[in-house]
Amino acid sequence: MVVIKSVRLDAGTSWFEEYEHGANHHALIMVSYGKCVYWLEGEKVLLEKGDLLFIPSNMTYYGKCIPTVTHEKYVVCFQSSAAPLLPLVHNPKYCIWKTGKYELLHQRFRVLQQEWSERLAYYESMCGALVQEILTHLNREVDEGRPSALKEKHTSLMKGYIQNHYREKVTKEELSEVIGKSPNYAAAVFSEVTGQTIGGYVHAMRVKTAVYLLSHSQRTIGDISDYLGYCDPSYFHRVFKRETGKPPAQYIKDRDIPVH
């Protein structure tokens, strides 16, 4: 069971925190932009985009921004009784890990921070489940070790192709041609390294673009749905709600108002 004490999103160049005598909670951090630095029991740790850091309770540490370097990171402080299931949480030493599942975990952290901020009904249960999922992915990655350099290279090539074609239908056959392997190999390696299916990754990229367009453009939901390759607007609604926890109309309501 996970009991969350706080969830926050740090951004900018003025962050600093210190636990001279250790904290009574665990801390889970993921950097989504830039760099920052921690000293964990006197040991210096540099964090950059894609890095996850787990700090166990009672560990003395402090962290701060790097001068003139802006950064963004999610920080979750929590207590847990999940040690029998997740060895990482029971380990008295900190853990730093560059995740191969960045897009997946970034989406989970984003929804987690949103749920914690808005405090809708049952938000504590939702946040606890999200933290448990993130910790499980991290523990699994640490246990399994890094994929081979070849698998990471193939995945990077496939991601690059998707980034250029995500508004279209992307198949494992197309990705197999990109890396010169069989379709089943392409699908299996992509899922192993990213933690997402090819289709799930494509949907996530589309929704990320949709969030931006809904918030910063004057396009209608139907127009954005069509632009992103969804022929059925109702299907777009379902995918969007699943990925973000909000309906598209909520972003329309909160979108930027142009200044004339």
Side-chain angles (χ1 to χ4, degrees):
M1 180 180 177
V2 171
V3 178
I4 299 175
K5 299 300 181 181
S6 65
V7 179
R8 70 177 196 265
L9 177 61
D10 295 335
T13 57
S14 59
W15 162 76
F16 173 82
E17 69 177 336
E18 181 176 14
Y19 287 93
E20 185 178 354
H21 303 292
N24 63 355
H25 56 255
H26 305 303
L28 180 63
I29 299 105
M30 188 180 81
V31 177
S32 54
Y33 181 80
K35 300 178 182 180
C36 64
V37 65
Y38 280 84
W39 278 264
L40 303 158
E41 295 190 335
E43 187 173 353
K44 182 179 179 180
V45 174
L46 178 68
L47 297 184
E48 55 188 5
K49 180 180 177 180
D51 284 339
L52 286 162
L53 174 64
F54 173 75
I55 305 175
S57 61
N58 301 316
M59 175 170 284
T60 60
Y61 70 92
Y62 77 92
K64 67 175 184 177
C65 291
I66 299 172
T68 74
V69 177
T70 189
H71 85 295
E72 181 181 274
K73 70 177 181 297
Y74 294 88
V75 181
V76 184
C77 298
F78 68 98
Q79 295 172 331
S80 174
S81 59
L85 295 178
L86 295 172
L88 178 73
V89 181
H90 188 58
N91 194 326
K93 183 169 175 56
Y94 72 85
C95 173
I96 180 173
W97 186 262
K98 182 169 290 295
T99 180
K101 302 177 180 179
Y102 173 76
E103 292 84 1
L104 173 65
L105 297 186
H106 186 213
Q107 188 269 346
R108 298 298 192 268
F109 271 104
R110 189 169 60 244
V111 174
L112 170 62
Q113 194 268 336
Q114 173 185 302
E115 286 279 342
W116 187 259
S117 298
E118 296 181 353
R119 298 182 178 246
L120 302 176
Y122 313 115
Y123 77 96
E124 291 175 305
S125 295
M126 176 66 78
C127 290
L130 286 165
V131 171
Q132 189 82 13
E133 180 186 356
I134 293 166
L135 287 168
T136 300
H137 280 296
L138 174 58
N139 216 136
R140 186 175 292 169
E141 280 195 90
V142 171
D143 286 351
E144 294 176 353
R146 299 208 172 279
S148 68
L150 183 60
K151 287 182 178 180
E152 289 188 333
K153 178 183 177 181
H154 285 159
T155 302
S156 179
L157 290 172
M158 289 188 281
K159 282 183 177 181
Y161 180 87
I162 292 172
Q163 286 168 0
N164 291 324
H165 297 86
Y166 69 93
R167 291 169 53 201
E168 310 162 14
K169 182 178 180 180
V170 179
T171 67
K172 63 182 181 181
E173 285 76 19
E174 291 172 319
L175 295 182
S176 71
E177 293 181 6
V178 171
I179 62 174
K181 297 290 183 177
S182 72
N184 287 341
Y185 172 89
V189 167
F190 191 89
S191 179
E192 177 187 342
V193 175
T194 68
Q196 295 174 281
T197 63
I198 294 168
Y201 190 87
V202 171
H203 283 310
M205 289 206 67
R206 289 178 175 181
V207 168
K208 183 179 179 180
T209 301
V211 168
Y212 179 83
L213 293 174
L214 288 164
S215 302
H216 304 293
S217 79
Q218 297 304 302
R219 292 190 179 201
T220 66
I221 295 173
D223 182 34
I224 292 171
S225 172
D226 184 63
Y227 172 77
L228 293 173
Y230 292 105
C231 299
D232 181 0
S234 63
Y235 181 56
F236 168 66
H237 276 72
R238 292 197 299 274
V239 172
F240 190 93
K241 180 73 178 292
R242 183 185 69 211
E243 289 289 323
T244 68
K246 288 183 176 183
Q250 185 64 50
Y251 286 85
I252 291 282
K253 179 182 177 182
D254 299 335
R255 72 174 19 166
D256 295 340
I257 299 175
V259 178
H260 298 288

